[in-house]
Amino acid sequence: MPGNGTVHDEVKAARLFRKAAKQGLAYGQYSLGFCFANGAGVVQDEEEAVKLYRQSAEQGYENGQYQLGYSYMRGIGGLAKNNEEAVRLFRQAAKQGLASAQAHLGFCCMHGIGVAHDVADAARYFRLAADQGHADAQCSLGYLCEHGQGTKRNLGEAVRLYRAA
């Protein structure tokens, strides 16, 4: 939570996010959840983070959907691991254009985690994220282009993606 032109104050940021969250603002819920997940300005509490991510996700906020999905994938914050639920949430966030969700969805498709193994779908999701500058997606798509997996083999595109990452 670096400030632009302000003093870095995690406690104050968490306090302001709490006010926004209490008003039902999805960004505030997500941001306060992030504070709890990372112990930024508050005592670390993954269960509280998940609760806030869920509130944010239920309002359709893509970052909340992504973080709740990640929490399901890792089984953190009191959640049982559930890769299918993680993929469902990643899809919701990916449809809204969130590069991190698109990249994670590509990873799930590539490895058959919570979804059928489908390298062509993986390439499609990696492309969406890579086009937004997501470095991990650029590397993954570069690998697929280099080896002709899920997409046509294209060494020039592979090199371009690796360099971009």
Side-chain angles (χ1 to χ4, degrees):
M1 285 165 274
N4 293 327
T6 63
V7 175
H8 182 82
D9 186 343
E10 291 179 348
V11 173
K12 183 176 181 180
R15 188 172 58 246
L16 292 171
F17 290 143
R18 187 181 306 276
K19 284 183 181 181
K22 283 183 179 179
Q23 293 175 22
L25 299 174
Y27 177 77
Q29 293 162 340
Y30 160 76
S31 298
L32 183 58
F34 187 86
C35 290
F36 275 109
N38 295 285
V42 295
V43 175
Q44 187 173 14
D45 183 341
E46 290 180 342
E47 288 183 18
E48 185 66 17
V50 166
K51 181 182 108 179
L52 289 157
Y53 290 154
R54 184 179 310 283
Q55 290 172 1
S56 178
E58 287 172 352
Q59 292 190 64
Y61 188 61
E62 66 272 17
N63 286 301
Q65 293 164 337
Y66 170 73
Q67 288 297 341
L68 183 58
Y70 184 79
S71 297
Y72 271 110
M73 180 172 262
R74 303 290 299 193
I76 57 177
L79 296 175
K81 270 187 162 185
N82 185 334
N83 290 329
E84 291 77 16
E85 181 64 7
V87 166
R88 184 185 75 76
L89 289 158
F90 290 157
R91 282 190 200 283
Q92 289 177 351
K95 284 180 188 174
Q96 295 183 67
L98 187 65
S100 295
Q102 294 163 339
H104 247 93
L105 197 49
F107 178 83
C108 291
C109 291
M110 188 165 156
H111 297 285
I113 299 171
V115 66
H117 177 261
D118 187 332
V119 182
D121 262 357
R124 184 170 62 84
Y125 285 114
F126 286 144
R127 170 66 65 196
L128 291 170
D131 286 349
Q132 294 182 66
H134 193 283
D136 289 340
Q138 291 168 330
C139 284
S140 295
L141 183 58
Y143 177 87
L144 295 179
C145 288
E146 179 182 357
H147 297 281
Q149 295 178 0
T151 188
K152 189 174 181 178
R153 186 167 193 242
N154 184 335
L155 295 179
E157 178 67 353
V159 168
R160 185 191 73 74
L161 287 161
Y162 288 143
R163 285 185 177 153

